Amino acid sequence: MFHFTLKQLRYFTVAGELSSVTLASRKLHVSQPSISAAIQQIEETTGLQLFVRHHAQGLSLTPSGKQLLVRAKQLLREAEGLEQFAVSLSEDIAGELRLVAFPTFAPVFLPQLLRRYADAYPAVSLLCHEETQVDIVKGLNQGEFELAFTYDLQIPVNIDFTPLHCFPAYAVVAEDHPLSGRGQVKLAELVEYPMVLLDWPQSREYFLSIFETLELKPQVAYRAKSLDMIRGLVANGFGFSLFNTPLTTDKAFDGRRLTALQLEDDVRPLSMGLACLKGLRLSPAAEALRDLALGSDVTAAVLGHKGSKKR
């Protein structure tokens, strides 16, 4: 049996995250010797060296220390969830819930879902981030987020993914584009015009792969890292783009309009869903949000626009 406490694990994780006993001491409002003693106790109990000590330059985690840090953060989160569960036996679900969502579809449905959640569980403090797929996976693995709303783009085997809706890709063009008003269009027709590409890791690879499967090469003339910027460029005639999030409005920020065109080609859609670390016991607050998302008519109503369907 290991003989170290959750408090000692907490001291270790904070020191590991900050790479400093001094900074950990300040953050936790405990003495530096207490932090050092906790780390020493864990090292002696496990037989592992967790840190490399650098004179006057703080600490750096060893490979074993990095692995233990991830598991320790998961254990501390589960312990917090257990405490919240015990409280919820006699009181409402409470505590902090850290979640993350993919930026393209998060504004479409998440605010309404979180409004309903906040009304049902007012004692929960919601911290919601928006990140690209790479940072979502990284944040889940490092214990920064407990729950994620994201796409099924290169989901690692250690992450559970539950699909909510399926989004087929479609094209968007300015209202005065030569292809506007067609309703449907082939990818072979689109490549005759310049393309505006959403330049995020994995997202750009997905959109470009749509053309590659048909041995087509689009003329990528402009790249942007904001979906609003993409909409503005398209609406102002800089080229077409591909979306898969429902087009809830046909106006860019400057008032110019764009038109959605269905793709006639057989294109692999993306599924949006819930992701969390495999084997992680969700806190009561996270479990409540998951249940609400899986059975919510808000999710279905908002995401049930043309171009999306329940999976």
Side-chain angles (χ1 to χ4, degrees):
M1 180 181 293
F2 287 169
H3 298 286
F4 51 80
T5 66
L6 291 174
K7 180 184 288 186
Q8 289 170 330
L9 278 179
R10 174 64 174 161
Y11 291 176
F12 157 68
T13 59
V14 175
E17 290 173 337
L18 299 177
S19 300
S20 169
V21 169
T22 301
L23 295 179
S25 173
R26 294 174 184 171
K27 181 174 181 177
L28 295 169
H29 304 291
V30 297
S31 67
Q32 293 185 38
S34 296
I35 304 289
S36 298
I39 295 172
Q40 182 178 358
Q41 175 68 25
I42 298 174
E43 288 183 325
E44 290 178 353
T45 301
T46 61
L48 299 173
Q49 180 180 349
L50 303 177
F51 292 100
V52 176
R53 278 77 173 175
H54 305 287
H55 180 65
Q57 294 183 0
L59 310 169
S60 60
L61 286 161
T62 64
S64 296
K66 292 179 180 178
Q67 294 181 54
L68 184 62
L69 179 66
V70 172
R71 295 297 299 273
K73 290 172 70 174
Q74 294 176 10
L75 177 60
L76 290 171
R77 191 175 296 278
E78 290 180 7
E80 181 183 356
L82 179 62
E83 180 182 4
Q84 294 172 6
F85 175 74
V87 171
S88 71
L89 293 177
S90 58
E91 299 178 8
D92 292 337
I93 292 176
E96 181 181 273
L97 175 56
R98 301 178 64 89
L99 61 140
V100 63
F102 201 87
T104 57
F105 62 73
V108 176
F109 85 100
L110 199 54
Q112 291 189 47
L113 182 65
L114 295 184
R115 176 70 271 163
R116 178 166 292 189
Y117 180 84
D119 290 342
Y121 307 104
V124 176
S125 175
L126 286 166
L127 298 175
C128 185
H129 296 253
E130 292 181 79
E131 302 288 352
T132 61
Q133 187 76 347
V134 173
D135 290 329
I136 286 175
V137 171
K138 180 180 177 181
L140 289 173
N141 279 316
Q142 294 183 348
E144 297 297 326
F145 311 118
E146 190 173 3
L147 204 58
F149 291 89
T150 190
Y151 286 122
D152 59 341
L153 279 171
Q154 300 182 27
I155 300 291
V157 295
N158 67 319
I159 290 179
D160 276 327
F161 179 82
T162 304
L164 290 175
H165 274 74
C166 186
F167 291 116
Y170 62 96
V172 287
V173 297
E175 65 176 346
D176 58 354
H177 191 280
L179 297 176
S180 179
R182 286 275 302 275
Q184 295 183 332
V185 67
K186 290 182 177 293
L187 290 169
E189 296 175 277
L190 289 172
V191 295
E192 299 297 322
Y193 300 91
M195 180 181 184
V196 182
L197 179 66
L198 181 62
D199 196 18
W200 287 343
Q202 297 186 0
S203 294
R204 60 173 173 261
E205 284 79 9
Y206 164 71
F207 287 124
L208 292 176
S209 72
I210 290 175
F211 295 94
E212 291 171 359
T213 57
L214 297 179
E215 298 183 350
L216 297 172
K217 187 175 181 179
Q219 305 174 45
V220 179
Y222 302 93
R223 297 171 183 259
K225 298 184 182 296
S226 160
L227 198 60
D228 288 326
M229 188 64 180
I230 296 285
R231 291 165 61 93
L233 290 172
V234 170
N236 280 274
F238 285 92
F240 76 91
S241 190
L242 294 186
F243 286 1
N244 56 8
T245 303
L247 192 65
T248 57
T249 176
D250 64 353
K251 285 187 178 181
F253 274 156
D254 62 3
R256 293 183 179 272
R257 297 182 181 274
L258 59 163
T259 301
L261 304 175
Q262 184 178 346
L263 296 179
E264 296 182 29
D265 308 271
D266 185 16
V267 174
R268 182 179 79 86
L270 288 180
S271 287
M272 184 279 286
L274 286 163
C276 63
L277 274 182
K278 189 169 291 184
L280 175 67
R281 184 180 186 133
L282 293 177
S283 67
E287 193 68 49
L289 179 60
R290 184 179 187 277
D291 291 343
L292 185 62
L294 289 174
S296 175
D297 56 345
V298 171
T299 309
V302 177
L303 294 180
H305 291 281
K306 181 180 178 181
S308 68
K309 59 183 179 178
K310 186 85 174 183
R311 183 170 179 175

